[in-house]
Amino acid sequence: QDPMDFEWSYWIEWGRERILWLLAGHLLVSQMSRLLVEKYKPWCLMVYGMAACWSLLGLKGFAVILLHAAISFAVAQFQLSLLTWLCSLILLSTLRIPAVEETKRKWYDTENEYYLLLFTVSVRCLFCTSFSLEYCWHAPAQKSSHSFPWMLAYVFYYPTLHNGPLVNFDEFSKQMRRQEAFSVKTNLIILIVGIIRIFFWWCLAELMIHLMYIHSLYSSALPLESASYWALGGLALAQVLFFYVKYLVLYGVPGLLLQMDGLKPPALPCCVSLMHSFTKMWRSFDVGLHRFLVRYIYVPMGGSQASVLGTLFSTALTFAFVSYWHGGQSYLWYWAALNWLGVTVENGTKRMLSISLIQDSI
């Protein structure tokens, strides 16, 4: 087995040990609450999510997430989007303070447990930001649907707790409040079909990990230096294809549970072999993250309705946040800058080709 893909090995190990069992518990609580107490389903899932978070991350890890939610909610009371964003960025920056990192590491016996807290809090920061901005934007009459208990139900919703996918609060709230007819037979069919599909994707990913050794090849300079350009291109394609299959599993499992809860999950990643543009990749690979970025950063900053410079600035700010949220290392800034350049060139070319004079000359 190729051991060099940390993300896959990490989540598969955690899944086998505890997370899959906790997800199964969420499924049981969800189906029982839908069957018996549909009206109280959000609160049943909230209590279960908080208990699962406590059992996996410990009291201190649970307290960190609860503290982040409480601070975000308190700042949202001022109903200032800029202040909310400032709070979110400060909370996110605390994850990279060396003294804070060392303190959190001492809470756990292994590095893997600390990383689980780090990943969970990083994703929860986006959820807290989504709730807080929706709170700022809604009228006072709608504030009852944006109470602190609803924030906790959203932040501690277990299927998306550790790694996503990201679901904006407005979508989560509307769908969670909706009461639909519950059919055990229909849900059972959805569950069986979903498990079969995810098992197939998991087998395919494991086959690639055991036979292709893509990541091990990339970790050594010698085979890369001796490879032809065609071989390097093939390795690059193999790596992104594995990344695609990996996220079919990592997002497929929580997506299936969202369906079982009566929610509509973000679409699963589109196959990278079908993509031919930066823009399409950002729209259709991580759909939940794309919706978050568009709703809370790109459109409020002007987006495509702004001037050319305004659009460039909105796009640059969006990619800057993505880079910072992923860790802010130098290679991530280069990656974000190249993606911004690719999207800018594509959109600029489309604008040029839409000019009637150019269209007539083609």
Side-chain angles (χ1 to χ4, degrees):
Q1 177 179 342
D2 183 354
M4 299 305 294
D5 189 89
F6 168 78
E7 188 177 32
W8 177 257
S9 304
Y10 181 85
W11 289 117
I12 291 299
E13 181 181 344
W14 268 110
R16 287 170 175 165
E17 287 183 0
R18 297 184 67 181
I19 290 180
L20 279 180
W21 296 106
L22 290 172
L23 289 173
H26 170 92
L27 178 63
L28 179 62
V29 171
S30 168
Q31 299 309 294
M32 292 300 293
S33 61
R34 289 190 74 185
L35 189 62
L36 302 175
V37 285
E38 175 76 17
K39 183 180 178 180
Y40 300 103
K41 180 182 73 173
W43 317 123
C44 295
L45 297 183
M46 179 192 74
V47 171
Y48 179 84
M50 295 175 81
C53 179
W54 190 325
S55 70
L56 205 58
L57 299 177
L59 175 59
K60 293 178 180 178
F62 169 79
V64 167
I65 298 174
L66 188 61
L67 180 63
H68 276 227
I71 293 172
S72 298
F73 185 78
V75 172
Q77 303 307 302
F78 293 97
Q79 295 186 267
L80 297 172
S81 298
L82 184 61
L83 189 61
T84 292
W85 266 116
L86 183 62
C87 172
S88 298
L89 292 174
I90 290 173
L91 289 175
L92 198 57
S93 68
T94 61
L95 302 179
R96 301 177 189 114
I97 299 174
V100 176
E101 287 182 339
E102 286 305 312
T103 300
K104 290 177 180 176
R105 276 190 167 92
K106 292 176 182 177
W107 296 347
Y108 301 105
D109 297 327
T110 65
E111 196 79 355
N112 275 0
E113 291 175 293
Y114 164 71
Y115 279 126
L116 184 64
L117 173 65
L118 183 65
F119 295 147
T120 304
V121 175
S122 297
V123 177
R124 292 308 93 195
C125 280
L126 297 184
F127 279 68
C128 288
T129 303
S130 175
F131 175 90
S132 299
L133 289 172
E134 295 293 342
Y135 186 95
C136 292
W137 295 347
H138 281 75
Q142 299 172 298
K143 289 295 185 282
S144 60
S145 60
H146 293 72
S147 61
F148 189 61
W150 267 106
M151 185 182 195
L152 294 181
Y154 175 58
V155 169
F156 285 100
Y157 181 67
Y158 192 71
T160 62
L161 185 72
H162 303 297
N163 194 42
L166 187 55
V167 181
N168 293 340
F169 178 72
D170 60 322
E171 300 171 8
F172 175 86
S173 176
K174 289 175 186 175
Q175 294 175 29
M176 189 63 79
R177 292 171 190 278
R178 186 178 60 216
Q179 296 186 14
E180 298 178 332
F182 178 72
S183 170
V184 176
K185 182 179 178 181
T186 301
N187 264 22
L188 187 60
I189 292 172
I190 292 173
L191 180 64
I192 292 172
V193 172
I195 289 175
I196 292 172
R197 291 175 68 191
I198 293 168
F199 181 72
F200 171 76
W201 296 329
W202 175 77
C203 289
L204 182 57
E206 284 291 320
L207 195 65
M208 296 173 80
I209 280 285
H210 279 81
L211 298 180
M212 299 182 72
Y213 290 85
I214 312 157
H215 305 90
S216 293
L217 287 170
Y218 269 111
S219 65
S220 176
L222 186 61
L224 297 179
E225 290 172 351
S226 60
S228 66
Y229 290 127
W230 282 103
L232 290 174
L235 282 172
L237 178 61
Q239 188 179 44
V240 295
L241 285 172
F242 176 77
F243 191 76
Y244 159 65
V245 174
K246 174 171 67 177
Y247 268 87
L248 287 178
V249 177
L250 296 184
Y251 280 176
V253 173
L256 176 59
L257 289 178
L258 262 76
Q259 281 186 284
M260 298 296 292
D261 291 345
L263 309 180
K264 184 179 180 182
L268 289 175
C270 183
C271 180
V272 291
S273 296
L274 302 178
M275 298 183 194
H276 61 277
S277 72
F278 286 95
T279 307
K280 184 178 179 182
M281 189 279 291
W282 279 100
R283 286 177 179 170
S284 56
F285 192 86
D286 192 335
V287 176
L289 180 60
H290 174 260
R291 289 174 181 169
F292 176 92
L293 297 172
V294 169
R295 181 169 178 81
Y296 301 120
I297 302 178
Y298 185 69
V299 171
M301 294 307 300
S304 59
Q305 303 303 314
S307 63
V308 174
L309 288 178
T311 302
L312 291 176
F313 177 72
S314 302
T315 310
L317 202 61
T318 302
F319 282 113
F321 175 76
V322 172
S323 175
Y324 184 71
W325 178 68
H326 276 89
Q329 291 88 350
S330 57
Y331 72 90
L332 287 169
W333 292 110
Y334 295 137
W335 167 75
L338 288 172
N339 275 275
W340 173 81
L341 182 61
V343 170
T344 300
V345 169
E346 284 179 359
N347 290 334
T349 304
K350 287 178 182 177
R351 286 194 178 192
M352 287 180 60
L353 293 176
S354 65
I355 299 173
S356 56
L357 183 63
I358 295 178
Q359 286 182 338
D360 294 338
S361 63
I362 294 178

